[in-house]
Amino acid sequence: MHDDTRCLGTDDAIAASGFQSLSFPVYRGSTVVFPTVEAYQRRRENFYDGYSYGLYGTPTSRALEARIASLENGTKTLVVPSGLAAIVLTILAVAKAGDQVLIPDSVYDPVRTLSDNFLSFLGIQASYYDPLIGGRIAPLLNERVKLVLVESPGSATMEIQDMAAIAGAAQANGTLVAVDNTWATPLRFKPLERDTDFSISAISKYFAGHSDVLMGSVTVRDEALYRRLRDVSRYLGYGVSPEDCALVLRGIETLSVRLDRVEANALKIAKWLEGRPEVVKVLHPALPSHPGHAIWQRDFSGSSGLFSVILQPWTRPQLALAIEALEFFCIGASWGGTKSIVVVMDPPPVRTATRTVEQGPLLRISVGLEHVDDLLLDLEKAFGMLEPKAELFEPPIRLEI
Ligand SMILES: *Cc1c(COP(=O)(O)O)cnc(C)c1O
């Protein structure tokens, strides 16, 4: 053998040595090789569950999919390049030109951009509904409606949806239901156990958990839906890197302890914020003051680390300075990592099917794994900067005596 060839040699040394470790290996590969011409020609048979081409699955991505499917209590999971890609895939797998999808008004905002600019271009009509609609969704359902998207709590404004009522009405109409379960993760809520068809997760958030991976997942129980998703994923050219899958497999090992910690931290901070004069309202479903608290208690086994706060309008002039003064809360999009993150949304996200209830400013907080006392001290310092300044108010009316 020439060195040129030897340089390319496959190496079975590790397998032969009997080496075993506790971590799942990163299997790289675009080409999957087959022992015979016939096996190659029949590779499509391996497409859904085996290996035919690196883009369609590697042992590392399949291991991750199996791990997520077991947590979701589903049968099959697909991992895709982002949480948004998972939503796009689900919609395109079930809706065609002339069809309609129902989307909650509190949806993750890029889905609104997708719907208004691209689904419309494809002839798929997205209609927004009141996230608190519950069983009143029934009159909106007809044979054109192919999918109801549910996201609970809603992005930024944290509305809790009555998924049982929505799923019941959808089932009666033969309409599929997809749940964006990113906030709860299957450790706090399992959509597929509640008469819904797709459980979608932005793996980029709690599953990956370290703000360094972008990925999404869709999990189902129905084999035909799974195959349809796999097919459309292939048409779209979706694929995920095995390195990223290995990072997520690692992240999942600590998912439960991370969630317990951020849940406890977030609750303590949310309660503290409820007592602050700068705060109009804390939007956290685990607080009894939240209008969706009873439904949250019925459906979810716990909460996570993301919630929002509506601040007094008089905090506006000082707000940016106060947020920038925070030491342990970084400013940035995305959430669900180890470190605390905060974003100011002012005005709060757009609503088209319902009225924007609160004017804002809205502060969205993703609580991390820091010690809660450090976070509280940090917030106390920042909120101290929001104290009303006398000059911002109308001078008191002086009574002439
Ligand atoms: C972040 C997020 C997504 C999108 O996830 P990406 O991986 O960033 O595309 C989808 N849904 C919800 C609720 C999210 O918060």
Side-chain angles (χ1 to χ4, degrees):
M1 198 193 297
H2 294 83
D3 278 352
D4 297 21
T5 309
R6 208 168 270 129
C7 285
L8 307 174
T10 53
D11 199 343
D12 297 327
I14 291 180
S17 72
F19 172 80
Q20 284 191 345
S21 83
L22 290 172
S23 61
F24 199 88
V26 175
Y27 286 97
R28 302 190 55 89
S30 51
T31 300
V32 171
V33 295
F34 298 85
T36 63
V37 170
E38 195 203 339
Y40 173 75
Q41 282 167 347
R42 294 171 60 141
R43 69 191 182 285
R44 282 279 147 72
E45 292 170 10
N46 301 335
F47 170 68
Y48 296 103
D49 297 303
Y51 306 108
S52 56
Y53 183 55
L55 193 62
Y56 309 144
T58 60
T60 318
S61 70
R62 294 276 195 245
L64 173 58
E65 288 172 342
R67 186 84 52 93
I68 296 172
S70 79
L71 289 172
E72 295 271 14
N73 204 357
T75 54
K76 296 283 175 64
T77 295
L78 277 88
V79 289
V80 296
S82 68
L84 183 59
I87 297 169
V88 172
L89 176 67
T90 305
I91 294 173
L92 294 186
V94 301
K96 60 180 185 317
D99 289 340
Q100 203 182 345
V101 294
L102 300 185
I103 294 178
D105 216 16
S106 49
V107 74
Y108 172 65
D109 204 53
V111 176
R112 193 179 281 276
T113 313
L114 159 80
S115 303
D116 298 349
N117 299 290
F118 190 62
L119 293 183
S120 55
F121 165 78
L122 297 176
I124 299 168
Q125 187 200 338
S127 303
Y128 298 96
Y129 68 89
D130 178 354
L132 305 180
I133 201 166
R136 288 180 292 112
I137 201 164
L140 303 184
L141 300 167
N142 56 56
E143 69 282 0
R144 278 185 62 215
V145 179
K146 292 298 187 293
L147 186 74
V148 178
L149 184 66
V150 171
E151 184 189 329
S152 184
S155 275
T157 40
M158 306 296 287
E159 294 91 341
I160 291 289
Q161 297 198 247
D162 188 342
M163 283 192 247
I166 292 173
Q171 235 177 14
N173 189 59
T175 309
L176 297 167
V177 178
V179 179
D180 182 336
N181 196 41
T182 303
W183 180 85
T185 84
L187 273 62
R188 299 287 187 258
F189 181 72
K190 296 191 200 296
L192 298 179
E193 292 180 353
R194 309 296 180 97
D195 295 326
T196 67
D197 305 282
F198 303 91
S199 178
I200 295 172
S201 219
I203 298 295
S204 320
K205 309 289 172 45
Y206 286 125
F207 273 94
H210 295 72
S211 314
D212 55 2
V213 173
L214 288 160
M215 200 183 290
S217 70
V218 190
T219 305
V220 292
R221 285 182 162 178
D222 181 271
E223 181 66 20
L225 284 182
Y226 168 69
R227 290 186 168 230
R228 176 70 185 154
L229 288 166
R230 235 344 137 208
D231 286 336
V232 176
S233 169
R234 173 160 62 95
Y235 307 148
L236 295 173
Y238 281 2
V240 292
S241 109
E243 274 87 357
D244 285 353
C245 291
L247 283 174
V248 177
L249 279 165
R250 169 195 284 220
I252 291 176
E253 293 192 12
T254 57
L255 177 59
S256 174
V257 289
R258 283 187 286 108
L259 277 178
D260 287 351
R261 176 65 169 261
V262 298
E263 173 179 48
N265 278 2
L267 270 172
K268 207 159 175 185
I269 292 170
K271 284 177 188 156
W272 178 83
L273 285 165
E274 268 198 320
R276 293 293 307 196
E278 302 85 356
V279 171
V280 176
K281 203 179 268 184
V282 179
L283 307 174
H284 189 314
L287 295 180
S289 60
H290 191 280
H293 182 66
I295 294 179
W296 171 80
Q297 238 175 355
R298 181 194 72 187
D299 290 349
F300 293 74
S301 63
S303 56
S304 63
L306 185 83
F307 67 98
S308 300
V309 177
I310 304 283
L311 296 175
Q312 296 284 2
W314 51 257
T315 59
R316 273 199 182 97
Q318 292 295 103
L319 185 57
L321 283 176
I323 297 300
E324 287 158 18
L326 286 165
E327 191 180 344
F328 300 119
F329 293 82
C330 307
I331 303 167
S334 201
W335 48 273
T338 56
K339 292 166 190 157
S340 293
I341 289 175
V342 67
V343 283
V344 177
M345 297 183 190
D346 191 22
V350 65
R351 291 286 177 269
T352 52
T354 48
R355 270 161 31 94
T356 304
V357 191
E358 309 287 349
Q359 291 307 308
L362 184 151
L363 200 63
R364 191 186 70 177
I365 304 173
S366 173
V367 179
L369 303 178
E370 300 89 348
H371 196 288
V372 72
D373 291 347
D374 291 331
L375 297 177
L376 284 169
L377 268 178
D378 206 17
L379 287 168
E380 195 154 17
K381 180 185 68 181
F383 272 70
M385 294 170 66
L386 295 177
E387 270 160 35
K389 300 270 184 296
E391 64 267 25
L392 297 177
F393 289 90
E394 299 277 308
I397 298 162
R398 203 169 297 168
L399 292 174
E400 301 289 341
I401 303 171

